[in-house]
Amino acid sequence: METRIIDGRKVAEQIKAEVTEELQELSKKNLVPGLAAVLVGDDPASQLYVRNKTRTCKELGMHSETIELPGETTTEELLQVIDRLNQADDIDAILVQLPLPDQIEEDRILLAVRPDKDVDGFHPLNVRNLVSGKVGLAPCTPMGIMYLLKSEGIALKGAEAVVVGRSDIVGKPMAFLLLHQHATITLCHSRTRDLPAVCRRADILVAAVGQPALITRDYLKEGVVIIDVGQNLVRTEEEGIRLFGKDSERISKIKKKGYTLVGDVHPRDPIGVAQAVTPVPFGVGPLTIAHLMKNTATACRLRRG
Ligand code: NAP
């Protein structure tokens, strides 16, 4: 079987083109969607994510604000910042970059964000909307994946969909979104018995685990569509050769940069078996930020439009 490699960058461009159209509509009402990103501490990965998010906002012509707070910020101090953003009319979407430092009560912070500005869909009201299939704000990565499945013409009605990983931000919302499109859902986790056998039932397999190349040939049914959410760092040449082969350009990447990215799915095993697969990098990754922009525009339209 010929395996299609799905280019997430192209799908992300489609999403951004839709956002641009939506921005034009909103500008007729003198509205410019605004995103505020709140970053506590100086974790380099979080700083990079937030920088990419604000850059994409600017690229599309949206308003963006980054609030950087010291690592020792208290819950009360952060609540005051959220309160100000909740009241700011030019801010439609509030993103609190996780993880927060240990001294901060994460639940209190996520509950404090106004549900109609809760761009990550963490607030209980948005979770309820997600579970019952109502319009609202839902987490960006699974929303981006749903967009990708639709734009790739993948049939969901009646399909067996297996999601590996049950986090609140990816696995669980993914399962509900697929369910609302009439797929039959199996949600797996670290205690699932005989994971390969369960995965082999899948017409659509979503891996959101955080374990490099966990999903191997043994987990795949012929013709499966694979969505690989995992983003794991491979740092040693030995591991790189095992996963990518000794002639792969990834080996020179490890030598040059000190790492290369690998998903939760083995990078070579799906080829010839799967109908389609998202690569890592440039598969699911670009969809998340693109959908964050879409959610920000949606939040603006629902609240102010
Ligand atoms: P998470 O909160 O750590 O959840 C991981 C899930 O995987 C848990 O439900 C865990 O089960 C399950 N799991 C762990 N080991 C397993 C195993 N051996 N077999 C079966 N299930 C196992 O992770 P997350 O935030 O959902 O992220 C998952 C991956 O996606 C990470 O690599 C992350 O970097 C990536 N990610 C990528 C994007 C993107 O934009 N591309 C966005 C978000 C996340 P238990 O619940 O039983 O512990």
Side-chain angles (χ1 to χ4, degrees):
M1 167 172 285
E2 197 174 328
T3 303
R4 192 163 81 251
I5 311 291
I6 302 172
D7 189 343
R9 290 169 297 187
K10 279 195 189 148
V11 183
E13 286 310 316
Q14 287 170 29
I15 299 175
K16 286 195 226 166
E18 280 186 19
V19 175
T20 302
E21 274 176 30
E22 199 163 354
L23 293 182
Q24 281 162 0
E25 283 305 307
L26 289 166
S27 74
K28 290 179 192 160
K29 296 175 183 164
N30 287 326
L31 294 175
V32 178
L35 170 74
V38 183
L39 182 62
V40 186
D42 51 10
D43 174 48
S46 295
Q47 283 172 333
L48 180 68
Y49 291 145
V50 168
R51 225 177 297 137
N52 286 341
K53 287 164 184 171
T54 48
R55 198 188 53 214
T56 312
C57 264
K58 292 206 174 95
E59 185 188 306
L60 294 179
M62 294 206 246
H63 168 62
S64 86
E65 199 177 307
T66 307
I67 295 102
E68 294 193 48
L69 300 168
E72 53 284 359
T73 301
T74 63
T75 302
E76 301 307 325
E77 285 164 342
L78 186 50
L79 285 172
Q80 280 173 22
V81 172
I82 301 291
D83 188 43
R84 176 177 74 73
L85 296 171
N86 278 343
Q87 292 180 45
D89 199 43
D90 60 343
I91 295 299
D92 298 287
I94 303 170
L95 179 150
V96 181
Q97 186 65 43
L98 301 179
L100 290 167
D102 289 346
Q103 79 277 8
I104 295 183
E105 295 163 76
E106 194 172 292
D107 276 355
R108 279 183 69 197
I109 300 299
L110 298 181
L111 265 175
V113 175
R114 265 175 71 148
D116 55 0
K117 294 191 179 189
D118 168 39
V119 75
D120 273 325
F122 285 135
H123 193 281
L125 201 66
N126 287 322
V127 174
R128 196 193 67 180
N129 284 339
L130 170 76
V131 170
S132 56
K134 293 197 183 110
V135 181
L137 296 168
C140 299
T141 303
M143 286 293 279
I145 293 170
M146 292 308 287
Y147 188 100
L148 175 141
L149 291 169
K150 192 170 177 200
S151 80
E152 290 292 312
I154 310 294
L156 299 177
K157 204 183 281 181
E160 287 270 356
V162 175
V163 179
V164 190
R166 57 175 163 181
S167 69
D168 290 346
I169 183 80
V170 189
K172 282 181 204 149
M174 187 77 250
F176 280 109
L177 291 170
L178 287 163
L179 179 66
H180 297 320
Q181 293 306 314
H182 313 292
T184 301
I185 304 301
T186 307
L187 187 52
C188 305
H189 44 79
S190 64
R191 323 291 158 82
T192 297
R193 211 180 322 130
D194 199 353
L195 187 62
V198 178
C199 289
R200 278 197 301 274
R201 296 209 306 257
D203 301 313
I204 296 150
L205 178 62
V206 182
V209 182
Q211 299 277 340
L214 171 81
I215 309 287
T216 52
R217 172 70 188 89
D218 191 32
Y219 291 60
L220 308 176
K221 176 170 83 174
E222 176 102 16
V224 60
V225 172
I226 305 172
I227 306 295
D228 190 355
V229 185
Q231 296 204 314
N232 311 293
L233 299 184
V234 174
R235 295 183 190 277
T236 67
E237 272 179 60
E238 191 190 2
E239 180 70 349
I241 291 168
R242 191 180 70 77
L243 292 172
F244 300 102
K246 68 177 170 33
D247 298 325
S248 167
E249 60 186 29
R250 299 295 199 103
I251 308 306
S252 43
K253 210 168 208 176
I254 297 175
K255 282 183 190 157
K256 214 161 92 191
K257 287 177 77 176
Y259 69 88
T260 189
L261 274 185
V262 70
D264 292 336
V265 179
H266 190 288
R268 295 187 288 174
D269 283 11
I271 308 303
V273 180
Q275 182 192 138
V277 61
T278 61
V280 176
F282 309 130
V284 171
L287 303 176
T288 302
I289 291 190
H291 222 285
L292 174 67
M293 302 300 123
K294 203 167 171 57
N295 270 7
T296 302
T298 303
C300 176
R301 185 169 41 77
L302 293 177
R303 189 177 66 88
R304 293 196 277 162

